[in-house]
Amino acid sequence: MKRIDNFKSIVDKYDIIFFDAFGVIKTYQGLVPGIGKTFQYLQEQGKEYYIVTNDASRSPAQLAEAYHKYGLTAITADRIVSSGMLTKEYLDLQVQDGIVAYLGTPESQHYIDSSGLHTLPVSAVNNSNIDKVNAMIFLDDEGFDWFGDLNKTVNLLRKRTIPVIVANTDNAYPLSVGDVSIAIGGIASMIENIVGKRFIRFGKPDSQMFMFAYDLIREYRPVSKKQIVMVGDTLQTDILGGNKFGLDTVLVLTGNTLPKDVETRITATGIMPTYICDSAVVDLGGFGF
Amino acid sequence: MKRIDNFKSIVDKYDIIFFDAFGVIKTYQGLVPGIGKTFQYLQEQGKEYYIVTNDASRSPAQLAEAYHKYGLTAITADRIVSSGMLTKEYLDLQVQDGIVAYLGTPESQHYIDSSGLHTLPVSAVNNSNIDKVNAMIFLDDEGFDWFGDLNKTVNLLRKRTIPVIVANTDNAYPLSVGDVSIAIGGIASMIENIVGKRFIRFGKPDSQMFMFAYDLIREYRPVSKKQIVMVGDTLQTDILGGNKFGLDTVLVLTGNTLPKDVETRITATGIMPTYICDSAVVDLGGFGF
Amino acid sequence: MKRIDNFKSIVDKYDIIFFDAFGVIKTYQGLVPGIGKTFQYLQEQGKEYYIVTNDASRSPAQLAEAYHKYGLTAITADRIVSSGMLTKEYLDLQVQDGIVAYLGTPESQHYIDSSGLHTLPVSAVNNSNIDKVNAMIFLDDEGFDWFGDLNKTVNLLRKRTIPVIVANTDNAYPLSVGDVSIAIGGIASMIENIVGKRFIRFGKPDSQMFMFAYDLIREYRPVSKKQIVMVGDTLQTDILGGNKFGLDTVLVLTGNTLPKDVETRITATGIMPTYICDSAVVDLGGFGF
Amino acid sequence: MKRIDNFKSIVDKYDIIFFDAFGVIKTYQGLVPGIGKTFQYLQEQGKEYYIVTNDASRSPAQLAEAYHKYGLTAITADRIVSSGMLTKEYLDLQVQDGIVAYLGTPESQHYIDSSGLHTLPVSAVNNSNIDKVNAMIFLDDEGFDWFGDLNKTVNLLRKRTIPVIVANTDNAYPLSVGDVSIAIGGIASMIENIVGKRFIRFGKPDSQMFMFAYDLIREYRPVSKKQIVMVGDTLQTDILGGNKFGLDTVLVLTGNTLPKDVETRITATGIMPTYICDSAVVDLGGFGF
């Protein structure tokens, strides 16, 4: 485990960089200051990069658009690998027909829509269509009535033995400097405990997420795991997952892990990044910034 | 473990009977048919009885009133021991002043009101009073906005290091023949996982619940655990808790445990009642039935 | 939560003191230096005291003898409440006859011996007596062959549906300045996961432990929870358990909780002692030590 | 979910078959009767097959040899994908130098030996070499002293912050008709709880296992997940893992899942195989039997 002063030296060592989104490129306040320079340098050096994110609330196109609004045009839809895309692949392979019920916003529905199945918010499931529900997806914590629809979901899953997919494994996400929001992953765990059935989770630290990104690259070029580094702000997802998949990892301190807690947390969890770096910002020196 | 045909033979063997409420005396459809005869027999024989329930949604007086409406006048407020009463005892002993925030209905608030503390629904906690919040209580799954108030609770508990009490440990409760509702205990577990702090749980199977009832009796007469039997419909709460406290136990099949599943569930969980009986109804024979 | 400089001011405030043993009165190196003065002061002031310990490896008489060897004669057998004593009470009340199998040393067997049941180490269970085994007790991590007897225990519990008691809930215990030992509670949890059955645990933080000590006192005098304070070195057992039972608590820093970690651990776990004090040593001032 | 009478119809539908080993091809009594016909048919039809097993106790060559002794020569070392192979890949990618400590037999050591690192049984770790220990591997439940070496492992992991790999995720494995043995996965979970650090687990249901097999095939031919079916006897590992990876699955009833329990277990766990078949034996009809 090495402390690195300038993220540039990491970029110089690898051919492909995987970035977590929240806490690495952006925070609740907007872009991480200076992060634009990193992507400029990546492009100048001909390095490849992917955003590997547990966000299934919107489509890659919509996620990319949000970066463009902030002026970060280097992140295009084809650079984004989200846990929602694994959900879509699963449905394509394993659910042939019928209704897919979901909890989430209309935007999150994108992932299941495109599979050619009939999609329905949980609120629209009733006695006349419940027998056709062949899968249930937890997509996002917004877009539904918690009291009514969570209770409805419990009873749906007691009555139907169907695959249940959790498209975002996070328990909570930051909302402002002091506040967090309960994420759909936390809600799904509560319902899993109540109904006692096993759900399928897509998203870091699960290796299937990294494999998906890895396969995207292999489609157009040969690659080895040694050429890739995963950059994240969270030990339990980005670092543990990347490391288990066999990638080198960089922990940055612009998100979930505070500089004062780094050592304690690494020792306590036993999860060790290859490198620790203050941020993912490339410093090119010169007269300014 | 013995199968017993007539609950009467159990009543005859013990001096004091502890009853679970839901699934034993009442169901979602009203009283268990014939249960009135049990309480008539108990009174004729001079036996003592208590209702030991994980229900903190209403005061003992209100709970008793609900039985009276159905014609079961034998259950008076002083016969009811609820997990809400343990919450009240805890607050009396351990929280001297300030605000007690809660999730639940105004009826459930009874337990914390009477402690002489200032009580406030979570929805009314704000920046000007958050520093005075000295305890947080999960009372009931109704009476608040799930989305807004559960997120608010998470952030309250991230900011304040205070005792958190879960006054009902159940994960779900039956609503109708096929449906259940998420109970406040299930919600509390989700929030405990998200904030990573240890909550205090009152309610079966925890022995403090049985001890509370036991102490009520000891205040007016000497008693031994051998004189008491606990009657319940749920292995994991009534039977495990009663047994651990040292009481003999009766599993009845009018609630959570179906006759066809009894053997499998006992073997799978390793939780063994002293007796199994179809119901808690005393059959006095006579001309009929 | 208050920092207290001198344990004397705590003694002066309460009538009865409950002490955890390990990390409070003794460590792996022997007695906590100066602790003798505390018990001298307690006796001078006519205060009552009990040692409330998760140690089921030896009888109260043997535990007391160990203190006497170090010169601490104030701790007599009748002052010791151990989780083993709850095990004995359980067997007296709930297991009428047959064999009680156990894992532990011959010394630990004391608790189950005295119940008048036939006791047998797991190693002596075989096809001819397995049907008579009516309870299984985890007493201590020594006195048996781990490989052979733990595998044997798993298969015993797959074949017999019987109550299983864990007489010490700790996962590990300190052995020297840097080393710990796996405790019987940790082993029991592994076996519980493998066989999928629910075990009964006696020991802090479970309230039954505190209730047992409380009842001992009530047998000879009236008492209120407000008169008692629990002194311990571990947030998750001594402090959480004492607090839940309604007692005031003192965290001392001579054992599991290091001075540098106190604040962090309290905030992380949400478990708050009433007081924090460097040690349980009473300082009477005067000319010195 | 379809009931299939003859495993032949499944073979006919797919190009590549993944088999679990224990409970599908062999049991504690030797080969599943008739399983030789399956591999004969697979070879005649030019179908590919792989054994995908959580067994890290011996090398693929040694595992294959065991089948040859029983006369099943169709299973050669290159057809075997074991969780030990993922461990080896991890060490190759992520541990550059130093000592790899392990729990297991000398045979299991194969996987870590071949990585070019210095391997040492936990029993040989001491004060003079502990600082060079850079990884710890749980390989097998035999080949070491449980009491001494498990305690030593706990203290090693308290002192060194290093990656810990569990090469077999199973909690227990069948030993005879009535008995099981505690597996290294169960032991590892106990130690993970005690030290509080996160271990890395390789083995079904984790998708990395399936990905490894999938990649082996892709090295010499193009393949889609739709061409592969996973055959197993355990819902929680073979079926859940195969399904999550996107493969069709067959549950056979010659191992962990008994015919009488199939429906109950599927409903209880929510894990649904694509097909259910009595065994993996191909019935070719004819004059025989």
Side-chain angles (χ1 to χ4, degrees):
Chain A
M1 204 171 61
K2 284 188 211 150
R3 289 252 168 197
I4 299 289
D5 285 337
N6 190 341
F7 191 73
K8 179 177 173 298
S9 67
I10 286 164
V11 172
D12 291 346
K13 230 178 273 182
Y14 296 88
D15 297 323
I16 302 164
I17 326 278
F18 287 176
F19 291 94
D20 177 34
F22 216 94
V24 176
I25 298 174
K26 59 179 178 180
T27 68
Y28 55 90
Q29 293 173 303
L31 293 184
V32 165
I35 198 72
K37 287 185 288 184
T38 300
F39 287 90
Q40 196 183 327
Y41 185 68
L42 286 167
Q43 291 185 321
E44 285 167 12
Q45 302 295 317
K47 304 281 182 175
E48 289 177 66
Y49 51 88
Y50 288 90
I51 314 302
V52 179
T53 172
N54 281 359
D55 189 339
S57 69
R58 285 172 297 167
S59 72
Q62 288 169 317
L63 290 170
E65 211 184 291
Y67 291 107
H68 301 174
K69 275 191 194 153
Y70 286 117
L72 193 59
T73 53
I75 301 181
T76 47
D78 59 323
R79 298 290 184 170
I80 295 176
V81 176
S82 88
S83 48
M85 293 160 76
L86 277 84
T87 304
K88 179 171 159 29
E89 189 201 34
Y90 178 87
L91 292 174
D92 286 346
L93 286 164
Q94 289 292 321
V95 183
Q96 265 67 55
D97 50 30
I99 293 167
V100 178
Y102 73 95
L103 290 172
T105 58
E107 287 78 34
S108 64
Q109 197 189 346
H110 155 86
Y111 292 108
I112 53 178
D113 246 355
S114 50
S115 285
L117 295 160
H118 188 52
T119 62
L120 220 54
V122 163
S123 60
V125 172
N126 56 42
N127 281 335
S128 73
N129 61 22
I130 190 170
D131 289 339
K132 288 177 211 131
V133 177
N134 286 337
M136 164 75 212
I137 323 281
F138 290 84
L139 284 165
D140 196 17
D141 60 294
E142 296 192 66
F144 59 92
D145 171 52
W146 281 29
F147 179 75
D149 290 348
L150 296 182
N151 274 304
K152 208 164 173 181
T153 302
V154 166
N155 288 301
L156 167 62
L157 298 182
R158 283 165 46 93
K159 285 166 192 159
R160 297 281 300 147
T161 300
I162 52 174
V164 181
I165 289 97
V166 185
N168 176 344
T169 50
D170 296 346
N171 277 333
Y173 59 93
L175 203 65
S176 70
V177 65
D179 286 349
V180 300
S181 253
I182 300 172
I184 192 70
I187 293 172
S189 296
M190 172 179 72
I191 293 184
E192 195 175 24
N193 282 338
I194 291 172
V195 300
K197 297 185 177 182
R198 285 286 292 266
F199 294 177
I200 293 176
R201 281 179 170 68
F202 291 123
K204 296 168 287 179
D206 189 70
S207 5
Q208 211 158 329
M209 189 83 179
F210 294 95
M211 186 183 358
F212 194 92
Y214 191 58
D215 273 359
L216 275 188
I217 301 167
R218 287 200 287 184
E219 271 175 32
Y220 60 87
R221 58 164 281 190
V223 67
S224 136
K225 290 181 181 178
K226 286 178 185 275
Q227 297 169 272
I228 307 175
V229 69
M230 170 73 206
V231 186
D233 69 320
T234 311
L235 289 169
Q236 282 80 0
T237 55
D238 307 311
I239 306 304
L240 180 65
N243 176 263
K244 187 189 167 197
F245 188 65
L247 307 183
D248 284 355
T249 55
V250 188
L251 181 72
V252 294
L253 309 178
T254 42
N256 272 328
T257 312
L258 300 178
K260 69 177 178 65
D261 299 332
V262 181
E263 301 297 338
T264 322
R265 289 225 194 158
I266 288 172
T267 311
T269 61
I271 305 170
M272 266 194 317
T274 319
Y275 310 103
I276 299 173
C277 198
D278 282 346
S279 78
V281 174
V282 164
D283 180 357
L284 292 171
F287 291 107
F289 345 45
Chain B
M1 203 171 61
K2 286 190 210 148
R3 290 251 169 199
I4 299 290
D5 286 336
N6 190 339
F7 190 72
K8 179 177 173 300
S9 67
I10 287 164
V11 172
D12 290 346
K13 229 178 274 180
Y14 297 87
D15 296 324
I16 302 165
I17 327 278
F18 286 176
F19 291 94
D20 178 35
F22 216 93
V24 176
I25 298 174
K26 60 180 176 179
T27 69
Y28 54 89
Q29 293 173 304
L31 293 184
V32 165
I35 198 73
K37 285 184 290 183
T38 301
F39 287 90
Q40 196 183 329
Y41 185 69
L42 286 166
Q43 292 185 320
E44 284 166 13
Q45 301 294 317
K47 305 279 182 175
E48 290 177 63
Y49 51 87
Y50 287 90
I51 314 302
V52 179
T53 172
N54 281 359
D55 190 338
S57 69
R58 285 173 298 169
S59 72
Q62 288 169 317
L63 291 170
E65 210 185 291
Y67 291 107
H68 301 174
K69 274 189 195 155
Y70 286 119
L72 193 59
T73 53
I75 301 181
T76 47
D78 59 323
R79 297 291 184 171
I80 295 176
V81 176
S82 88
S83 47
M85 292 160 76
L86 277 82
T87 304
K88 177 170 159 30
E89 189 201 34
Y90 178 87
L91 293 173
D92 286 346
L93 286 165
Q94 289 292 322
V95 183
Q96 264 67 56
D97 50 31
I99 294 168
V100 178
Y102 73 95
L103 290 172
T105 58
E107 287 78 34
S108 64
Q109 197 188 347
H110 155 86
Y111 293 108
I112 52 179
D113 248 355
S114 51
S115 284
L117 296 160
H118 188 52
T119 62
L120 220 53
V122 163
S123 60
V125 172
N126 57 42
N127 281 335
S128 73
N129 59 25
I130 189 170
D131 289 338
K132 289 178 209 128
V133 176
N134 285 338
M136 163 76 212
I137 323 281
F138 289 84
L139 284 166
D140 196 16
D141 61 293
E142 296 191 68
F144 60 91
D145 172 51
W146 281 29
F147 178 76
D149 291 347
L150 295 182
N151 274 304
K152 207 163 174 181
T153 302
V154 166
N155 288 301
L156 166 63
L157 298 182
R158 284 164 47 93
K159 285 165 192 161
R160 298 282 299 148
T161 300
I162 51 174
V164 182
I165 288 98
V166 186
N168 176 344
T169 50
D170 296 347
N171 277 331
Y173 59 93
L175 204 64
S176 69
V177 66
D179 286 350
V180 301
S181 253
I182 301 172
I184 192 69
I187 292 171
S189 295
M190 172 179 73
I191 292 184
E192 195 175 24
N193 282 338
I194 290 171
V195 300
K197 297 185 177 182
R198 286 285 292 267
F199 294 177
I200 293 176
R201 281 178 170 70
F202 291 122
K204 296 169 286 179
D206 188 71
S207 7
Q208 212 157 329
M209 188 82 178
F210 295 95
M211 184 182 1
F212 194 93
Y214 192 58
D215 273 358
L216 276 188
I217 300 167
R218 287 200 288 184
E219 272 174 31
Y220 60 87
R221 56 164 280 187
V223 66
S224 137
K225 290 181 181 179
K226 285 178 186 274
Q227 297 169 273
I228 307 175
V229 68
M230 169 74 206
V231 186
D233 70 319
T234 310
L235 289 170
Q236 283 81 358
T237 54
D238 308 312
I239 306 305
L240 180 65
N243 176 263
K244 187 188 167 199
F245 188 65
L247 307 183
D248 284 355
T249 55
V250 189
L251 180 72
V252 294
L253 309 178
T254 42
N256 272 328
T257 312
L258 301 178
K260 70 175 176 65
D261 298 333
V262 181
E263 300 297 338
T264 321
R265 289 224 193 158
I266 288 172
T267 311
T269 60
I271 305 170
M272 267 192 318
T274 320
Y275 311 102
I276 300 173
C277 197
D278 282 346
S279 78
V281 174
V282 164
D283 181 357
L284 292 171
F287 293 107
F289 12 44
Chain C
M1 204 170 62
K2 285 190 210 147
R3 291 252 170 197
I4 299 290
D5 286 336
N6 189 341
F7 191 71
K8 178 176 174 299
S9 67
I10 286 164
V11 172
D12 290 346
K13 230 179 273 182
Y14 297 88
D15 296 323
I16 302 165
I17 326 278
F18 287 176
F19 290 94
D20 178 35
F22 216 94
V24 176
I25 298 174
K26 60 180 177 180
T27 70
Y28 54 90
Q29 293 173 305
L31 293 185
V32 166
I35 198 72
K37 287 183 289 183
T38 301
F39 287 90
Q40 196 183 328
Y41 185 68
L42 286 166
Q43 292 184 321
E44 284 166 12
Q45 302 294 317
K47 305 279 181 175
E48 289 177 64
Y49 52 88
Y50 288 90
I51 315 302
V52 179
T53 173
N54 282 359
D55 190 338
S57 70
R58 285 172 298 168
S59 72
Q62 288 169 317
L63 290 170
E65 211 185 291
Y67 290 108
H68 300 175
K69 274 189 194 153
Y70 286 117
L72 193 58
T73 52
I75 301 181
T76 47
D78 59 324
R79 297 292 184 169
I80 295 177
V81 176
S82 88
S83 48
M85 293 159 77
L86 278 82
T87 304
K88 176 169 160 29
E89 189 201 35
Y90 178 87
L91 293 173
D92 286 345
L93 286 165
Q94 289 292 321
V95 183
Q96 265 66 55
D97 50 31
I99 293 168
V100 177
Y102 73 95
L103 290 172
T105 58
E107 287 78 33
S108 64
Q109 197 188 346
H110 155 86
Y111 293 107
I112 52 178
D113 246 355
S114 50
S115 284
L117 295 160
H118 188 52
T119 63
L120 221 53
V122 162
S123 59
V125 172
N126 57 41
N127 281 336
S128 73
N129 60 24
I130 189 171
D131 288 339
K132 289 178 209 128
V133 177
N134 286 338
M136 163 76 212
I137 322 281
F138 290 84
L139 283 166
D140 196 16
D141 61 294
E142 296 191 66
F144 59 92
D145 172 52
W146 281 29
F147 179 75
D149 291 347
L150 295 183
N151 274 305
K152 208 164 174 181
T153 302
V154 166
N155 288 301
L156 166 63
L157 298 182
R158 284 163 48 92
K159 285 166 192 159
R160 297 280 301 147
T161 300
I162 52 175
V164 182
I165 288 98
V166 186
N168 176 344
T169 50
D170 295 347
N171 278 331
Y173 59 92
L175 203 64
S176 70
V177 66
D179 285 351
V180 301
S181 252
I182 301 171
I184 193 68
I187 292 171
S189 295
M190 172 179 73
I191 292 184
E192 194 175 24
N193 282 338
I194 291 171
V195 302
K197 298 185 177 182
R198 285 287 291 268
F199 295 178
I200 292 175
R201 281 179 170 71
F202 291 122
K204 296 168 286 179
D206 188 70
S207 5
Q208 212 158 329
M209 189 81 179
F210 294 94
M211 184 182 1
F212 194 93
Y214 192 58
D215 273 357
L216 276 188
I217 301 166
R218 287 200 288 184
E219 272 176 31
Y220 60 87
R221 57 165 280 188
V223 66
S224 137
K225 290 182 180 178
K226 286 178 184 274
Q227 297 169 272
I228 308 175
V229 68
M230 169 74 206
V231 186
D233 70 320
T234 310
L235 289 170
Q236 283 81 359
T237 54
D238 307 313
I239 306 304
L240 180 65
N243 176 263
K244 188 188 166 198
F245 188 65
L247 306 183
D248 284 355
T249 55
V250 188
L251 180 72
V252 294
L253 309 178
T254 41
N256 272 328
T257 312
L258 300 178
K260 70 177 176 65
D261 298 333
V262 180
E263 300 296 338
T264 322
R265 290 226 193 156
I266 288 173
T267 311
T269 60
I271 305 170
M272 266 193 318
T274 320
Y275 310 102
I276 300 173
C277 198
D278 283 345
S279 78
V281 174
V282 164
D283 181 357
L284 292 171
F287 291 107
F289 3 47
Chain D
M1 204 170 62
K2 284 188 211 151
R3 289 253 168 198
I4 298 290
D5 286 337
N6 190 339
F7 191 72
K8 179 176 173 300
S9 67
I10 286 165
V11 172
D12 290 345
K13 229 178 275 182
Y14 297 87
D15 296 324
I16 302 164
I17 326 278
F18 287 177
F19 291 95
D20 177 36
F22 216 93
V24 176
I25 298 174
K26 60 180 177 178
T27 69
Y28 54 89
Q29 294 174 304
L31 293 185
V32 165
I35 198 72
K37 287 184 289 184
T38 301
F39 287 90
Q40 197 183 327
Y41 186 68
L42 285 167
Q43 292 185 320
E44 284 166 14
Q45 301 295 317
K47 304 280 182 175
E48 290 177 65
Y49 52 88
Y50 288 90
I51 315 301
V52 179
T53 173
N54 282 359
D55 189 340
S57 69
R58 285 172 297 169
S59 72
Q62 288 169 317
L63 290 170
E65 211 184 291
Y67 290 108
H68 301 174
K69 275 191 192 152
Y70 286 117
L72 192 59
T73 53
I75 301 180
T76 47
D78 59 324
R79 298 290 185 171
I80 295 176
V81 176
S82 88
S83 48
M85 292 160 77
L86 277 84
T87 304
K88 178 172 158 28
E89 189 201 34
Y90 178 87
L91 293 174
D92 286 346
L93 286 164
Q94 289 292 320
V95 183
Q96 265 67 56
D97 50 30
I99 294 168
V100 178
Y102 73 95
L103 290 172
T105 59
E107 287 79 32
S108 65
Q109 196 188 346
H110 155 86
Y111 292 107
I112 53 178
D113 247 355
S114 50
S115 285
L117 295 160
H118 187 52
T119 62
L120 220 54
V122 162
S123 59
V125 172
N126 57 42
N127 280 336
S128 73
N129 60 24
I130 189 170
D131 287 339
K132 289 176 210 130
V133 176
N134 286 338
M136 162 76 212
I137 323 281
F138 290 85
L139 283 166
D140 197 16
D141 61 294
E142 296 191 66
F144 59 92
D145 172 52
W146 281 30
F147 178 76
D149 290 347
L150 295 183
N151 273 305
K152 208 164 175 183
T153 302
V154 166
N155 288 302
L156 166 63
L157 298 182
R158 283 164 47 92
K159 286 166 192 159
R160 298 280 300 147
T161 300
I162 51 174
V164 182
I165 289 99
V166 186
N168 177 344
T169 51
D170 296 346
N171 277 331
Y173 58 94
L175 203 65
S176 71
V177 65
D179 286 350
V180 301
S181 253
I182 300 171
I184 192 69
I187 293 171
S189 295
M190 172 179 72
I191 292 183
E192 195 176 24
N193 282 337
I194 290 171
V195 300
K197 296 184 177 183
R198 285 285 292 265
F199 295 177
I200 293 176
R201 282 179 169 69
F202 291 123
K204 296 169 287 180
D206 189 70
S207 6
Q208 212 158 329
M209 189 83 179
F210 294 95
M211 186 183 0
F212 194 93
Y214 191 58
D215 273 359
L216 276 188
I217 301 167
R218 287 201 287 185
E219 272 175 31
Y220 60 87
R221 58 165 281 190
V223 65
S224 137
K225 289 181 181 179
K226 286 178 185 276
Q227 297 169 271
I228 307 175
V229 69
M230 169 74 207
V231 186
D233 69 320
T234 310
L235 288 170
Q236 282 81 357
T237 54
D238 307 312
I239 305 305
L240 181 65
N243 176 264
K244 188 189 165 197
F245 188 65
L247 307 183
D248 284 354
T249 55
V250 189
L251 180 73
V252 294
L253 309 178
T254 42
N256 271 328
T257 312
L258 301 178
K260 69 177 176 66
D261 298 333
V262 180
E263 300 297 337
T264 320
R265 289 225 194 158
I266 288 172
T267 311
T269 61
I271 305 170
M272 267 194 316
T274 320
Y275 311 102
I276 299 172
C277 198
D278 282 346
S279 78
V281 174
V282 164
D283 180 357
L284 292 171
F287 292 107
F289 29 175

